[in-house]
Amino acid sequence: MRTIPDRPWTAEEILQQLETYRQDDMRAEGGRVWAYLYDSGLHHAEAVAREAFMRFQALNALDFTVFPSLLRLENETVQMTAARFHPGPDTVGTFTSGGTESIMLAVKAARDWFRDKRPGVAQPEMVIPVTAHAAFHKAAHWLGLRLRILPVDPVTFTVDPAAVEAAITPETCLIVASAVNYSHGVMDPIEELGRIAERHGVWLHVDACIGGFLLHDLARLGETVPAFDFQVPGVTSLSVDLHKYAYAPKGASVVLFRTRDFRKYQYFACTRWSGYPVLNTTLQSTKSGGPLAGAWAVLHAIGDEGYLQLAKRVLEIRKRLERDLPQRADVRVLGRPQAGLLALASDTIHLFVLADEMRRRGWYVQVQPGRPEYGLDPSLHLTVTPVRDQHLDEFLADFAEAARRTASSQGVDVNAVLSRMEFAQADVDAVLTAAGVGPEGLPQDMAAVNTLLRVLPPELTEQLFIHLANTWFR
Ligand SMILES: Cc1ncc(COP(=O)(O)O)c(C=O)c1O
């Protein structure tokens, strides 16, 4: 067990040690990780955001009467963000730590709004497509809501509005749409869903966490972007992450509400304990001012014109990938991507092995195991950011070569993997060992792990993940 050192380390020792810890990480800069990272490539914007982050990181947004600068920064950041989504005169919002928090706050608000309307319903329900982000499952889990999960169209990967309408019951408080969804990068039919929400008096949340910021600029560039924001009657709330396509330092998202009458259900106040009065607008109470100042800084450093240029580059790269990848390897693009994301499938190439081949070549491409019970096959996810154009030819060549090497692979034999499990013990350790996952981390090749994720029931894989987190974080 590690303890705090007796003798204080020097700054040099500390930083050296931290660098050794980073040795096995993929590099955050340089555009080789095709998920998780949103790199504008604009060094001046990154530098000023980092500086702003550091200057405000010690301030505590728990009490904006002591730090009024944070109230001002939040109002300005929310307004600059809201302006992209056709706000009404009373559209308001909150700065949060990320997409998941924005979504959880919107779901909480919807639940408590519904409780006011229908106090008799013991467990309100939320209707989501299978493509809705895991954050909605988390919200249901934490907030005690029942989930109705709907399949999506096997060609467009969008939810059928008629199926949503049919799923609504007197216990439904909330329906959900993505603009765009993470797994396939496509938008649900939000105008129809808005009409349904109005007809049934339910809350409609639009998850624009990953797509929203970019969609605004893609529309300005002449792309066809169906209405998805507050211009659609019936849209009650919308989440949009600044730490994605606004390129803010991590810990930055905004949740918007059509009016403050809806937002009030998100807040929490407590004057019943022995200490200071608590007014929390988000999940956190003590809250660093760093991410907020970083986000505010980046919005100013890139500017509206800068975002338009970045969106143009993202669009060009995505279009080139859509055209070139199927020419170079036996893969096809799923659905019709509408923002900066792409999902690839193949009938001949084992995608999990391909992802490992790419990793060996220094690229991270993300495996999506699929949900066979919803007709969703495995796919590879690519997040396009502007810096990708620096290495695009190299990426395409490596992808083609990795696909060629993978084509003869049968993938991982599930039975061979399962036979390594010690069923007698039937505990999660056995599954993890069979997949090559140890107490210190993941194996270098992930195909066996991803194959198991695909074939094992979610009840078991979720337990596995929780067990892993419990092992790795000491
Ligand atoms: C559509 C969508 N919603 C929500 C989230 C969750 O955001 P975060 O990881 O910031 O919590 C993501 C993340 O990729 C997303 O793509």
Side-chain angles (χ1 to χ4, degrees):
M1 168 99 72
R2 191 174 180 108
T3 56
I4 296 171
D6 291 337
R7 170 187 70 79
W9 290 14
T10 63
E12 200 178 310
E13 285 172 320
I14 291 167
L15 296 176
Q16 243 174 28
Q17 182 71 15
L18 285 173
E19 278 312 307
T20 65
Y21 282 15
R22 271 178 39 138
Q23 261 166 17
D24 294 334
D25 292 355
M26 295 200 73
R27 301 229 60 90
E29 62 283 354
R32 297 185 77 91
V33 179
W34 285 71
Y36 306 130
L37 304 175
Y38 302 84
D39 190 349
S40 69
L42 301 177
H43 300 303
H44 72 281
E46 274 165 36
V48 71
R50 206 175 307 125
E51 179 62 29
F53 193 106
M54 292 312 295
R55 287 191 191 191
F56 278 75
Q57 64 82 25
L59 304 196
N60 194 342
L62 166 59
D63 191 339
F64 45 83
T65 63
V66 178
F67 306 107
S69 64
L70 297 178
L71 178 60
R72 180 164 185 188
L73 283 178
E74 174 154 345
N75 279 337
E76 291 184 5
T77 302
V78 167
Q79 279 164 22
M80 286 185 284
T81 306
R84 299 193 143 220
F85 301 100
H86 298 94
D90 194 29
T91 297
V92 288
T94 303
F95 182 83
T96 78
S97 66
T100 299
E101 189 178 21
S102 287
I103 286 168
M104 291 185 70
L105 291 172
V107 174
K108 182 207 175 288
R111 183 198 66 179
D112 292 355
W113 163 81
F114 186 76
R115 277 186 180 157
D116 253 9
K117 273 202 328 174
R118 302 241 177 92
V121 177
Q123 193 182 27
E125 194 170 78
M126 130 165 84
V127 177
I128 66 170
V130 64
T131 46
H133 193 271
F136 292 97
H137 296 250
K138 185 171 180 176
H141 176 71
W142 280 33
L143 296 165
L145 297 182
R146 207 168 332 111
L147 265 186
R148 281 290 297 278
I149 305 171
L150 301 180
V152 289
D153 182 276
V155 175
T156 62
F157 299 94
T158 61
V159 76
D160 174 9
V164 174
E165 182 152 35
I168 292 174
T169 71
E171 312 209 317
T172 306
C173 69
L174 166 70
I175 62 175
V176 168
S178 304
V180 299
N181 65 39
Y182 182 84
S183 55
H184 297 81
V186 300
M187 191 191 295
D188 289 312
I190 290 169
E191 283 176 293
E192 280 117 303
L193 293 172
R195 282 193 285 276
I196 290 168
E198 285 200 311
R199 206 154 46 233
H200 294 269
V202 297
W203 184 297
L204 168 58
H205 180 79
V206 173
D207 179 7
C209 280
I210 202 160
F213 213 85
L214 194 60
L215 287 170
H216 170 86
D217 289 321
L218 295 182
R220 289 205 285 167
L221 290 168
E223 289 293 292
T224 307
V225 177
F228 67 95
D229 56 22
F230 293 108
Q231 68 184 305
V232 177
V235 170
T236 321
S237 57
L238 179 148
S239 47
V240 51
D241 292 354
L242 302 182
H243 62 200
K244 294 193 170 87
Y245 283 99
Y247 310 102
K250 293 213 182 329
S253 172
V254 169
V255 57
L256 297 168
F257 297 83
R258 182 173 284 281
T259 69
R260 63 189 73 224
D261 275 349
F262 294 111
R263 184 182 59 177
K264 70 178 184 220
Y265 293 99
Q266 166 199 311
Y267 289 157
F268 175 80
C270 178
T271 52
R272 296 167 193 231
W273 70 307
S274 53
Y276 55 88
V278 166
L279 167 56
N280 286 163
T281 56
T282 63
L283 212 58
Q284 292 170 302
S285 201
T286 282
K287 189 162 57 176
S288 167
L292 175 59
W296 186 94
V298 102
L299 292 171
H300 287 83
I302 294 180
D304 219 31
E305 187 52 35
Y307 281 115
L308 194 63
Q309 293 312 319
L310 291 171
K312 193 158 177 266
R313 279 170 68 192
V314 169
L315 183 64
E316 280 165 6
I317 299 166
R318 194 203 78 206
K319 287 191 168 167
R320 172 139 186 238
L321 290 168
E322 283 180 73
R323 192 191 60 218
D324 285 11
L325 282 169
Q327 283 172 11
R328 297 197 181 214
D330 186 19
V331 292
R332 61 181 185 283
V333 175
L334 293 175
R336 299 189 60 186
Q338 285 163 293
L341 316 171
L342 211 66
L344 300 168
S346 176
D347 296 327
T348 55
I349 297 171
H350 200 287
L351 297 173
F352 302 162
V353 180
L354 174 65
D356 287 341
E357 283 287 340
M358 288 300 277
R359 184 95 180 220
R360 264 193 273 285
R361 289 165 173 76
W363 302 100
Y364 176 79
V365 293
Q366 193 174 50
V367 164
Q368 304 190 123
R371 292 297 308 274
E373 67 278 39
Y374 286 91
L376 294 176
D377 290 331
S379 56
L380 283 185
H381 166 102
L382 300 177
T383 297
V384 178
T385 62
V387 292
R388 306 275 185 239
D389 54 12
Q390 294 163 16
H391 307 286
L392 203 52
D393 290 331
E394 191 193 343
F395 175 77
L396 287 165
D398 278 349
F399 193 93
E401 173 59 14
R404 202 182 55 72
R405 289 179 67 95
T406 311
S408 56
S409 163
Q410 296 302 305
V412 173
D413 177 1
V414 175
N415 290 327
V417 178
L418 292 179
S419 69
R420 294 206 289 273
M421 287 167 55
E422 293 170 31
F423 279 115
Q425 293 184 25
D427 60 15
V428 288
D429 270 338
V431 183
L432 294 171
T433 309
V437 182
E440 297 306 327
L442 294 168
Q444 208 186 358
D445 283 358
M446 290 287 291
V449 174
N450 286 316
T451 303
L452 278 177
L453 279 182
R454 176 160 161 70
V455 297
L456 293 176
E459 290 80 358
L460 183 52
T461 48
E462 283 164 3
Q463 270 190 48
L464 291 176
F465 277 120
I466 287 167
H467 179 80
L468 280 182
N470 231 355
T471 308
W472 292 342
F473 291 95
R474 302 203 178 93

